[in-house]
């Protein structure tokens, strides 16, 4: 019997992953473990509610050959410091304990490029980690917990992926908001046009997981994004070519953006949460210059580029030019 369990599987990436695993026909048992129920359940997947912050019952699944650890508190800023550690570190610890109890041999962990810290320099897998946020630190420590699990047995395999911005149907994040702003004609480049925003399609991410799992390495750690370092201007131009979306009309200077965010910070302080603050504004103008050196050196062949990925996304959203 071949089985896989996906912790955090009710979310954006997890739903795409489970749909791909189910479609492969290679699994007799597929289990999704999450705090919430999925918005769009997949036939043949056993959905279970559990909290990775607590010890996990061995009864969650029968015989998992593969364990996917996607469970995380990730939006930053947006949570209290302790929340990142409670979920991301305790989650890794409890998932490793679960793997030991079930004698599972493979863990695939979605980490984050936040472990590198924010600056303009290119980041390869050999770049020394320098996290500057609780989220980045919690992800780096979670990596180390799972690396220790792998080192306990020579027959164990660990794949760690550090994804840049991942986009696709159901994402409801950066790319979806950008598409919506372009469609309404509201978007102006924040601070500059040449900010590099490393990115990759969700389907491509899942293919890389399978590819790296098949490599003959006990531990594989790799960055995920397209090999081309797309700028925010190039991303907007791609949305224009594929979806016919309008292009930005200009650039808003960073000091003006920060000044405009101050009233929203006051509202936040008064309890009126809105998600707008200077820290988030600053993130818009710092490049995420991520280099997928490991994927390229391993011979991975990308099936999409930015244009073809956006085309596929618009098709899966049923209406041409719609990105949702």
């Amino acid at each position: 019997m071949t089985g896989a369990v996906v912790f955090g599987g009710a979310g954006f990436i997890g739903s795409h992953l489970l749909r791909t695993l189910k479609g492969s026909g290679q699994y007799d048992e597929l289990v999704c473990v999450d705090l919430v129920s999925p918005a769009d359940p997949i036939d043949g997947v056993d959905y279970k509610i559990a909290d990775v912050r607590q010890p996990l019952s061995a009864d969650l699944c029968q015989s998992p050959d593969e364990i996917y650890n996607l469970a995380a508190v990730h939006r930053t800023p947006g949570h209290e410091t302790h929340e990142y550690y409670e979920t991301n570190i305790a989650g890794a610890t409890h998932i490793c304990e679960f793997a030991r109890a079930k004698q599972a041999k493979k863990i695939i962990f979605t980490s984050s490029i936040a472990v590198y810290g924010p600056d303009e320099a290119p980041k390869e897998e050999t770049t020394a980690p320098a996290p500057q946020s609780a989220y980045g630190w919690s992800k780096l420590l979670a990596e180390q917990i799972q690396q220790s699990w792998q080192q306990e047995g020579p027959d164990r395999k660990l794949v760690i992926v550090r994804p840049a911005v991942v986009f696709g149907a159901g994402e409801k994040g950066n790319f979806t908001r950008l598409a919506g702003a372009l469609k309404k004609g509201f978007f102006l480049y924040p601070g500059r046009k040449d900010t590099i925003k490393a990115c990759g399609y969700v389907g491509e991410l899942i293919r890389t997981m399978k590819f790296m799992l098949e490599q003959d390495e006990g531990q594989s750690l790799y960055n995920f994004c397209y090999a081309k370092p797309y700028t925010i201007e190039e991303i907007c131009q791609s949305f224009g070519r594929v979806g016919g979306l309008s292009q930005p009309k200009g650039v808003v200077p960073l000091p003006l953006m920060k000044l405009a965010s101050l009233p929203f910070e006051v509202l936040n302080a008064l309890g009126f949460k809105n998600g707008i603050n200077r820290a988030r504004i600053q993130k818009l103008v710092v490049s995420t210059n991520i280099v997928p050196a490991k994927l390229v050196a391993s011979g991975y062949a990308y099936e999409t580029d930015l244009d073809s990925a956006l085309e596929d996304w618009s098709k899966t959203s049923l209406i041409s030019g719609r990105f949702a």
Side-chain angles (χ1 to χ4, degrees):
M1 184 174 185
T2 301
V5 56
V6 181
F7 291 95
F12 161 54
I13 293 174
S15 295
H16 282 272
L17 172 62
L18 283 163
R19 190 167 287 109
T20 299
L21 296 178
K22 179 63 179 176
S24 72
Q26 298 175 356
Y27 298 85
D28 303 297
E29 180 187 31
L30 285 174
V31 178
C32 169
V33 180
D34 209 310
L35 272 174
V36 298
S37 299
D40 185 18
I42 301 164
D43 289 342
V45 175
D46 186 6
Y47 290 94
K48 298 188 177 181
I49 302 296
D51 187 346
V52 298
R53 294 172 296 183
Q54 304 299 325
L56 298 161
S57 170
D59 294 334
L60 287 172
C61 63
Q62 295 183 42
S63 180
D65 296 274
E66 299 167 5
I67 294 175
Y68 293 83
N69 179 7
L70 278 59
V73 166
H74 58 84
R75 189 177 63 178
T76 180
H79 295 276
E80 298 296 330
T81 296
H82 67 89
E83 294 182 88
Y84 298 103
Y85 293 102
E86 287 171 353
T87 297
N88 301 341
I89 294 179
T93 299
H94 293 140
I95 287 170
C96 285
E97 290 173 352
F98 175 82
R100 293 185 186 99
K102 303 300 293 187
Q103 298 185 339
K105 304 300 184 184
K106 300 174 183 177
I107 292 179
I108 301 89
F109 173 54
T110 51
S111 184
S112 170
I113 59 172
V115 303
Y116 296 119
D119 63 57
E120 295 290 314
K123 309 292 194 307
E124 297 188 3
E125 293 85 354
T126 54
T127 300
Q132 295 184 21
S133 66
Y135 173 58
W137 275 111
S138 69
K139 281 294 193 177
L140 182 61
L141 292 169
E143 288 183 3
Q144 295 169 356
I145 289 167
Q146 287 162 110
Q147 287 168 337
S148 294
W149 167 85
Q150 188 279 327
Q151 291 166 359
E152 293 172 6
D155 57 341
R156 294 179 179 177
K157 179 169 286 193
L158 173 67
V159 173
I160 297 173
V161 53
R162 294 171 174 171
V165 174
V166 181
F167 63 89
E171 166 231 321
K172 299 179 182 178
N174 293 341
F175 268 53
T176 300
R177 288 192 293 268
L178 174 59
L182 290 172
K183 186 174 183 179
K184 295 174 182 176
F186 290 163
F187 186 74
L188 297 170
Y189 290 114
R192 50 193 268 213
K193 295 182 178 181
D194 61 349
T195 307
I196 294 172
K197 291 298 179 183
C199 58
Y201 193 40
V202 64
E204 201 78 70
L205 169 61
I206 292 165
R207 286 189 287 272
T208 66
M209 290 179 178
K210 182 69 172 176
F211 176 82
M212 295 306 293
L213 196 57
E214 292 173 346
Q215 303 304 300
D216 189 21
E217 294 179 291
Q219 290 192 21
S220 299
L221 186 154
Y222 72 102
N223 294 335
F224 170 74
C225 59
Y226 287 120
K228 175 178 172 54
Y230 289 104
T231 66
I232 184 63
E233 183 177 30
E234 291 172 319
I235 293 169
C236 289
Q237 290 170 346
S238 185
F239 270 118
R241 286 190 298 271
V242 174
L245 303 187
S246 62
Q247 294 300 288
K249 303 299 190 291
V251 178
V252 181
L254 180 60
L256 181 60
M257 294 173 62
K258 288 187 173 181
L259 181 63
S261 73
L262 291 178
F264 294 95
E265 291 190 18
V266 173
L267 290 172
N268 271 318
L270 294 173
F272 299 96
K273 301 301 181 182
N274 55 71
I276 300 175
N277 54 58
R278 281 168 290 176
R280 186 157 287 160
I281 295 296
Q282 182 65 39
K283 284 178 64 178
L284 295 174
V285 300
V286 177
S287 291
T288 50
N289 192 0
I290 306 303
V291 181
K294 175 75 171 180
L295 274 179
V296 173
S298 298
Y300 178 76
Y302 289 87
E303 294 187 16
T304 62
D305 58 12
L306 183 56
D307 277 10
S308 62
L310 291 182
E311 287 173 2
D312 188 65
W313 181 7
S314 68
K315 291 175 184 176
T316 58
S317 294
L318 303 180
I319 302 172
S320 180
R322 175 187 170 195
F323 302 94

